[in-house]
C-alpha cells in the first residue's frame, strides 16, 4: 500500500516542483530520488505523517534535496560517482585521521592550508577541523554553540579560505571532515532570537514550557551532562517567561525534531556543507536528537529514524559524503548508529569507538588487559560497510562508559572501579604519574570524567618535571602502545592534534574567564611550531614520538590485513597483561598479522603453545612489522618488554 501511495505522491511532488528547479538537468538526481523515495517517504511519514501539512512538508523536503543537487559542483559530482562505484573505499587501511582546532594547529584556515604538508609528513590523510562557525564569545562550548550555521568565524577565515583548504586537501588526497551540530543552537542563533521576540513559529523550533510541570517530569529520567557548570536540563528565560530545554550548557538550546521544519532546515545545512567540498560530516551529539518523557532522552528510536532519513536524503543529493556518529554512549547503543535493523549502513558509516577508547585508558591505569579483552570480546558485530573511528584522545573528556557487566565479569565493582580510574588519572591515586583533572563531578551520582592531554595522562609531564628518565621512557612507550592498537584494530585511527609531538597539558585556560569553568581546555593546545621543529632533532621526545608514529602509519597503510572487513579475531592468551588479536586479509585469510600489546610495567611473555589451536604455527619464525626484527623468543615464548607491542607476521 505504502509503495503505491509513495509513488503517486512522488509524481505529484515532481509536478509541483518550482519551475526553476524543473528546468535544470536533474538526471542523476531523479534516479537517486526514485531509488530512495520509498524509504524517505516511509521515514518521513513515520515521524511527521500525523501532521496536516505532511504533503507540503514532503514537497519542501524534496525541493531542499533538489536545490542541494543543483548547487553541487561537477567536480563533487564526479567524486560522488567514483565513490558510488567503489562504495567500500573508506574501509581501506589507507586512511589515517587527525582532529584539530584550526587555531590550535594554525593561525587560521589560510595558514592551515599552508601547513598541510605536515599532514603528509606524518601520513595523515583525513583531517577533522573542529567547529569553525560563528559562536558568541565566552558562550561557545568550544565551537559547539553555533549562532550561524553558514557563517565562518571571521577570526578563522571565510568560505573562500575553506574552499582553499578543501582544494589543497583534495590535491593531496586528504579528506576534509567538518562538524554539523544537529542537536542545539546557541541562544544567539537567529531562530532563538526570533523565538525570543515571541515568534511562535520559531518557538516551535525548540522545547519551551510556561511552567515546571513538564520540565520536572522530564528531569525525573534525564541525566545531567554538565552537572557542575550547567546543572539540570532546562533554563528559565526571563524575556519569554518560559523554560527552555538546554541539555548541555544553559546557552545551548535543544532543537525540536518533532517539528519537520527543523529537520528540513538541518538537512539544508548538511547539504550546504557537503557542497563546499566536505568529504565527511561529523554529526555531533546524535544520541540526543529525540526527547521523550520518561526516558533518558538519549538513543531513542526516533533519533535513529531521523539519522536514517538524513542519510537517505544526503544519498540522493551528495552520495559521496559520509557521516560520522558522535554518540558517546553504552557499547550496545553505539553500534546502532550504523543503522538499526539494517544490513548495510543506513545511518552513519563511521562511529566513534568510545568503548575502545575507555577500555584502553582502563588498561593504562590497571596495567592489565582483562577488561579490555572482555570489552572487545563483547563489542557487537558491526554491519558491513561501516567502520569505527578508533581514538585515544579527542577534544572532549574521557568517560569510563564501558559495560558494567563486563566490569563485573573481570571482578571489579563498577562504582569503586570507576572511582579508582578517576583517582588514578587525576593523580590522586598513590603512585600514579597521571596529571589529569576531574571533569564534571556529579555529587548526586558520584560520576566523574577526566580531562588532560594524552602525554600528561601517561606521565610525560611528571617525568619531564622531575627529570625521571624511566618515567619519560614509560610515557613514550605508553603513547606508542595505545597508538599501535588504534592503528591496527580495524577502522580509521584518529590522532589528536599535538599527540604525535607529546604536547602536555595547557594550563593557560585558567586565566581566561571564558574557559576557566571548563577544564577540557587543558587538552586543547596550541601547537608551538618552533618546538615542533624538535621532531627533526634526534634524541628529543618529539623526535622519538613523531618518527615512531610516522613509521607505524606508513606500515599500517601497507598492511592490507588492517583494512576493516570484520577480519579480527581476538585471542585468549592466558596472560591478563596482554591484549592479542589476529588481523587477517579478508580476501587471503592466510595473510595475517598477530597484534600483541603488553600493558604491564614488567616484561611478559606470550605462550604460543596456548594459542596453537588458533592455527598459529608455533614453530614459525615471526617478524615484527614495526621494528623489522624477530621478536625476543625463547622456546615458543615471545617476550615483550614493559608497554611493548608487536605486529607479528609469520615468515
Ligand atoms: C559534542 C562535542 C562536545 C560538546 C557537545 C555539546 O559532544 O564533542 O565538545 O560539548 O557536543 O555540543
Ligand atoms: C557527554 C555526551 C557527549 C559529549 C560530552 C561532552 O558525554 O554524551 O556527546 O561529548 O558529554 O563533555
Amino acid at each position: 500500500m505504502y509503495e503505491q501511495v509513495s509513488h503517486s505522491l512522488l509524481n505529484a511532488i515532481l509536478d509541483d516542483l518550482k519551475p526553476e528547479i524543473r528546468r535544470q538537468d536533474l538526471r542523476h538526481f531523479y534516479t537517486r530520488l526514485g531509488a530512495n523515495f520509498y524509504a524517505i517517504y516511509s521515514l518521513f511519514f513515520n515521524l511527521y505523517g500525523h501532521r496536516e501539512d505532511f504533503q507540503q512538508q514532503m514537497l519542501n523536503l524534496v525541493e531542499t534535496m533538489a536545490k542541494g543537487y543543483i548547487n553541487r559542483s561537477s567536480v563533487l559530482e564526479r567524486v560522488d560517482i567514483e565513490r558510488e562505484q567503489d562504495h567500500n573505499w573508506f574501509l581501506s587501511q589507507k586512511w589515517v585521521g587527525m582532529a584539530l582546532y584550526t587555531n590550535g594547529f594554525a593561525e587560521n584556515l589560510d595558514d592551515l592550508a599552508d601547513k598541510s604538508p605536515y599532514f603528509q609528513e606524518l601520513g595523515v590523510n583525513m583531517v577533522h577541523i573542529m567547529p569553525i562557525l560563528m559562536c558568541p564569545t565566552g558562550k561557545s562550548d568550544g565551537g559547539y554553540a553555533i549562532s550561524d550555521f553558514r557563517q565562518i568565524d571571521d577570526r578563522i577565515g571565510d568560505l573562500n579560505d575553506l574552499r582553499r583548504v578543501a582544494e589543497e586537501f583534495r590535491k593531496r588526497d586528504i579528506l576534509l571532515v567538518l562538524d554539523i551540530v544537529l542537536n542545539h543552537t546557541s541562544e544567539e542563533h537567529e531562530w532563538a532570537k526570533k523565538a525570543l521576540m515571541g515568534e511562535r513559529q520559531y518557538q516551535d523550533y525548540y522545547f519551551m514550557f510556561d511552567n515546571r510541570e513538564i520540565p520536572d517530569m522530564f528531569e525525573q529520567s534525564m541525566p545531567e551532562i554538565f552537572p557542575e557548570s550547567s546543572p539540570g536540563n532546562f533554563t528559565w528565560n526571563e524575556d519569554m517567561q518560559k523554560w527552555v530545554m538546554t541539555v548541555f550548557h544553559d546557552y545551548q538550546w535543544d532543537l525540536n525534531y518533532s517539528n519537520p521544519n527543523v529537520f528540513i532546515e538541518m538537512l539544508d545545512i548538511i547539504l550546504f556543507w557537503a557542497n563546499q567540498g566536505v568529504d565527511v560530516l561529523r554529526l555531533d551529539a546524535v544520541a540526543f536528537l529525540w526527547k521523550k518523557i520518561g526516558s533518558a532522552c538519549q538513543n531513542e528510536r526516533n533519533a535513529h529514524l531521523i539519522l536514517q532519513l538524513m542519510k537517505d536524503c544526503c544519498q540522493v543529493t551528495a552520495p559521496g559524503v559520509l557521516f560520522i556518529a558522535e554518540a558517546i554512549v553504552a557499547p550496545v547503543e553505539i553500534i546502532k548508529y550504523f543503522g538499526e535493523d539494517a544490513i548495510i549502513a543506513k545511518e552513519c558509516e563511521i562511529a566513534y569507538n568510545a568503548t575502545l577508547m575507555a577500555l584502553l585508558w582502563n588498561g593504562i591505569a590497571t596495567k592489565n588487559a582483562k577488561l579490555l579483552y572482555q570489552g572487545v570480546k563483547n563489542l557487537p558485530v558491526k554491519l558491513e560497510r561501516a567502520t569505527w573511528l578508533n581514538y585515544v584522545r579527542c577534544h572532549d573528556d574521557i568517560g569510563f562508559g564501558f559495560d558494567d557487566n563486563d566490569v563485573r565479569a573481570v571482578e571489579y565493582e563498577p562504582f569503586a572501579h570507576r572511582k579508582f580510574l578517576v583517582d588514578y588519572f587525576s593523580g590522586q591515586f598513590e603512585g600514579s604519574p597521571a596529571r589529569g583533572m576531574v571533569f564534571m563531578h556529579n555529587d548526586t551520582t558520584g560520576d566523574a570524567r577526566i580531562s588532560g592531554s594524552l602525554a600528561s595522562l601517561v606521565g610525560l609531564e611528571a617525568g619531564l618535571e622531575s627529570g625521571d628518565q624511566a618515567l619519560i621512557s614509560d610515557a613514550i612507550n605508553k603513547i606508542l602502545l595505545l597508538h599501535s592498537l588504534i592503528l591496527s584494530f580495524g577502522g580509521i585511527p584518529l590522532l589528536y592534534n599535538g599527540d604525535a609531538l607529546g604536547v602536555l597539558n595547557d594550563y593557560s585556560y585558567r586565566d581566561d574567564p571564558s574557559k576557566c569553568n571548563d577544564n577540557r581546555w587543558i587538552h586543547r593546545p596550541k601547537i608551538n611550531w618552533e618546538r615542533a621543529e624538535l621532531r627533526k632533532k634526534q634524541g628529543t621526545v618529539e623526535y622519538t614520538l613523531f618518527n615512531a608514529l610516522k613509521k607505524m602509519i606508513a606500515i599500517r597503510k601497507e598492511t592490507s590485513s588492517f583494512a576493516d572487513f570484520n577480519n579480527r579475531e581476538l585471542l585468549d592468551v592466558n596472560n591478563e597483561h596482554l591484549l592479542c588479536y589476529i588481523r587477517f586479509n579478508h580476501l587471503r585469510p592466510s595473510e595475517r598479522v598477530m597484534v600483541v600489546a603488553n600493558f604491564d610495567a614488567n616484561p611478559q611473555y606470550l605462550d604460543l603453545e596456548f594459542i596453537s589451536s588458533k592455527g598459529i604455527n608455533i614453530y614459525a619464525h615471526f617478524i615484527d612489522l614495526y621494528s623489522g626484527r624477530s621478536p625476543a623468543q625463547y622456546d615458543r615464548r615471545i617476550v615483550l618488554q614493559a608497554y611493548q607491542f608487536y605486529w607479528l607476521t609469520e615468515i
Side-chain angles (χ1 to χ4, degrees):
M1 216 283 276
Y2 255 16
E3 222 155 335
Q4 279 84 340
V5 175
S6 91
H7 195 79
S8 67
L9 179 63
L10 177 58
N11 285 331
I13 287 177
L14 295 181
D15 285 343
D16 280 354
L17 282 181
K18 293 200 185 97
E20 65 269 27
I21 292 182
R22 264 187 290 153
R23 269 201 300 274
Q24 307 273 344
D25 170 17
L26 299 180
R27 202 160 39 102
H28 289 302
F29 175 76
Y30 284 142
T31 314
R32 293 187 194 125
L33 182 64
N36 287 287
F37 192 75
Y38 176 60
I40 292 175
Y41 167 80
S42 310
L43 287 162
F44 204 69
F45 187 82
N46 225 300
L47 289 159
Y48 308 114
H50 59 281
R51 290 176 57 112
E52 272 176 15
D53 62 351
F54 174 70
Q55 295 232 357
Q56 177 60 42
Q57 293 289 358
M58 196 67 219
L59 173 64
N60 297 350
L61 184 72
V62 174
E63 271 182 1
T64 304
M65 287 187 269
K67 253 182 21 215
Y69 179 77
I70 291 167
N71 292 333
R72 197 146 176 84
S73 72
S74 53
V75 174
L76 293 177
E77 238 211 300
R78 263 205 307 283
V79 174
D80 287 337
I81 292 168
E82 272 165 35
R83 289 184 183 162
E84 274 179 325
Q85 279 159 3
D86 177 20
H87 61 273
N88 281 339
W89 63 273
F90 60 97
L91 304 179
S92 158
Q93 75 283 1
K94 106 172 210 201
W95 302 111
V96 176
M98 180 184 280
L100 51 86
Y101 272 107
T102 305
N103 59 7
F105 180 79
E107 290 311 312
N108 48 37
L109 285 171
D110 196 41
D111 186 34
L112 190 149
D114 292 341
K115 288 200 162 65
S116 31
Y118 174 83
F119 301 125
Q120 281 177 307
E121 187 188 339
L122 184 57
V124 163
N125 52 13
M126 174 173 145
V127 178
H128 170 205
I129 302 184
M130 290 210 285
I132 51 175
L133 301 181
M134 288 289 284
C135 289
T137 359
K139 290 184 171 186
S140 75
D141 189 26
Y144 290 93
I146 293 172
S147 53
D148 188 333
F149 285 115
R150 289 186 176 78
Q151 184 73 40
I152 296 178
D153 180 341
D154 50 24
R155 290 168 299 184
I156 297 183
D158 58 22
L159 262 186
N160 283 329
D161 297 326
L162 184 75
R163 281 197 202 107
R164 202 185 137 223
V165 171
E167 275 162 31
E168 196 66 38
F169 279 13
R170 208 166 288 287
K171 263 200 312 229
R172 296 170 188 271
D173 208 9
I174 298 175
L175 302 175
L176 172 61
V177 187
L178 288 189
D179 288 83
I180 299 287
V181 181
L182 290 175
N183 180 66
H184 42 257
T185 73
S186 153
E187 62 182 354
E188 291 187 26
H189 188 280
E190 186 195 344
W191 304 333
K193 284 189 185 152
K194 289 185 174 159
L196 269 175
M197 306 287 288
E199 283 190 44
R200 204 34 222 277
Q201 189 195 340
Y202 288 95
Q203 293 190 344
D204 288 346
Y205 274 38
Y206 301 97
F207 298 90
M208 308 206 161
F209 305 98
D210 295 333
N211 56 45
R212 285 295 306 184
E213 283 171 10
I214 293 170
D216 282 345
M217 191 68 239
F218 267 113
E219 289 288 14
Q220 293 286 312
S221 52
M222 286 175 89
E224 294 173 293
I225 304 302
F226 297 132
E228 281 180 12
S229 55
S230 217
N233 289 289
F234 294 85
T235 303
W236 174 246
N237 186 282
E238 202 53 45
D239 295 338
M240 289 184 295
Q241 294 284 301
K242 285 183 194 297
W243 289 95
V244 183
M245 187 186 281
T246 54
V247 169
F248 289 86
H249 291 101
D250 54 13
Y251 52 80
Q252 286 165 302
W253 292 12
D254 286 67
L255 285 166
N256 186 348
Y257 279 88
S258 71
N259 178 349
N261 293 316
V262 169
F263 180 89
I264 292 171
E265 296 260 25
M266 269 303 163
L267 177 67
D268 199 30
I269 289 161
I270 288 183
L271 299 180
F272 173 81
W273 288 105
N275 284 344
Q276 306 307 315
V278 180
D279 298 287
V280 187
L281 292 168
R282 172 195 183 272
L283 306 186
D284 178 64
V286 286
F288 297 82
L289 293 181
W290 195 265
K291 314 297 197 288
K292 191 170 94 188
I293 278 188
S295 77
C297 298
Q298 290 183 37
N299 310 312
E300 279 300 308
R301 169 128 187 98
N302 279 359
H304 288 285
L305 298 189
I306 285 167
L307 291 168
Q308 289 173 16
L309 186 57
M310 278 178 176
K311 183 77 259 184
D312 280 339
C313 293
C314 191
Q315 208 70 30
V316 172
T317 301
V321 173
L322 303 181
F323 288 172
I324 300 178
E326 191 249 354
I328 312 303
V329 292
V332 290
E333 295 295 341
I334 297 184
I335 198 94
K336 295 181 186 162
Y337 290 91
F338 291 127
E340 259 201 296
D341 317 325
I343 298 162
I344 49 159
K346 289 277 294 172
E347 290 179 32
C348 301
E349 290 87 351
I350 309 172
Y352 276 74
N353 196 348
T355 313
L356 179 67
M357 181 275 297
L359 291 166
L360 290 173
W361 284 106
N362 185 78
I364 293 292
T366 59
K367 300 192 169 57
N368 71 58
K370 279 195 291 185
L371 186 53
L372 179 55
Y373 172 82
Q374 186 70 16
V376 171
K377 192 174 81 178
N378 288 337
L379 258 190
V381 177
K382 290 188 275 94
L383 299 175
E384 282 173 33
R385 204 175 171 274
T387 198
W388 292 117
L389 200 61
N390 294 317
Y391 64 111
V392 179
R393 282 307 282 121
C394 71
H395 69 293
D396 278 329
D397 44 285
I398 301 170
F400 302 105
F402 16 72
D403 193 313
D404 280 358
N405 293 321
D406 288 341
V407 180
R408 285 190 206 97
V410 297
E411 287 165 2
Y412 295 128
E413 195 284 306
F415 189 83
H417 187 62
R418 287 201 176 83
K419 174 153 188 341
F420 156 72
L421 293 172
V422 170
D423 287 348
Y424 181 89
F425 288 112
S426 57
Q428 296 169 62
F429 185 79
E430 177 79 32
S432 161
R435 291 279 172 87
M437 312 268 295
V438 178
F439 180 69
M440 296 293 155
H441 182 263
N442 185 323
D443 289 335
T444 324
T445 62
D447 288 342
R449 283 114 75 187
I450 285 291
S451 289
S453 80
L454 166 58
S456 293
L457 289 175
V458 295
L460 187 60
E461 187 177 327
L464 290 171
E465 213 171 83
S466 58
D468 181 336
Q469 287 308 321
L471 204 50
I472 295 174
S473 136
D474 280 354
I476 291 175
N477 289 332
K478 286 180 197 170
I479 293 174
L480 299 181
L481 177 81
L482 294 169
H483 281 89
S484 79
L485 294 172
I486 62 164
L487 281 154
S488 66
F489 187 78
I492 303 172
L494 183 76
L495 279 68
Y496 184 59
N497 185 29
D499 285 352
L501 298 165
V503 173
L504 306 177
N505 282 346
D506 174 1
Y507 295 96
S508 65
Y509 79 98
R510 288 174 169 164
D511 307 322
D512 181 338
S514 70
K515 295 180 176 166
C516 60
N517 285 330
D518 187 340
N519 63 29
R520 286 177 297 172
W521 288 103
I522 204 170
H523 55 253
R524 295 173 178 176
K526 184 157 180 74
I527 299 293
N528 174 337
W529 285 101
E530 258 163 53
R531 223 196 137 88
E533 280 297 299
L534 291 176
R535 72 187 185 279
K536 298 173 185 156
K537 187 164 173 227
Q538 239 173 359
T540 62
V541 171
E542 287 79 359
Y543 178 93
T544 310
L545 278 175
F546 189 87
N547 288 290
L549 286 172
K550 178 175 162 172
K551 184 168 161 191
M552 262 189 235
I553 290 171
I555 295 168
R556 164 187 161 91
K557 290 185 178 173
E558 305 259 289
T559 308
S560 33
S561 306
F562 286 169
D564 191 20
F565 291 95
N566 284 329
N567 47 341
R568 179 184 53 249
E569 189 183 353
L570 182 68
L571 297 188
D572 174 4
V573 293
N574 199 28
N575 178 338
E576 66 174 37
H577 298 285
L578 303 181
L579 182 75
C580 182
Y581 49 78
I582 294 178
R583 299 299 321 281
F584 53 90
N585 184 321
H586 71 295
L587 300 174
R588 294 180 296 280
S590 63
E591 195 182 306
R592 52 197 186 167
V593 179
M594 182 160 70
V595 174
V596 203
N598 178 16
F599 279 81
D600 195 18
N602 299 303
Q604 292 289 336
Y605 67 88
L606 169 69
D607 185 344
L608 290 173
E609 270 170 274
F610 193 81
I611 52 173
S612 60
S613 64
K614 294 292 169 191
I616 308 271
N617 174 6
I618 57 173
Y619 298 103
H621 282 291
F622 291 94
I623 198 104
D624 172 26
L625 289 176
Y626 172 68
S627 63
R629 288 200 296 268
S630 303
Q633 186 173 346
Y634 179 77
D635 206 10
R636 261 148 277 141
R637 288 180 176 77
I638 289 182
V639 175
L640 293 99
Q641 301 307 308
Y643 313 118
Q644 193 185 0
F645 73 92
Y646 288 128
W647 287 350
L648 298 174
T649 50
E650 292 164 43
I651 47 168

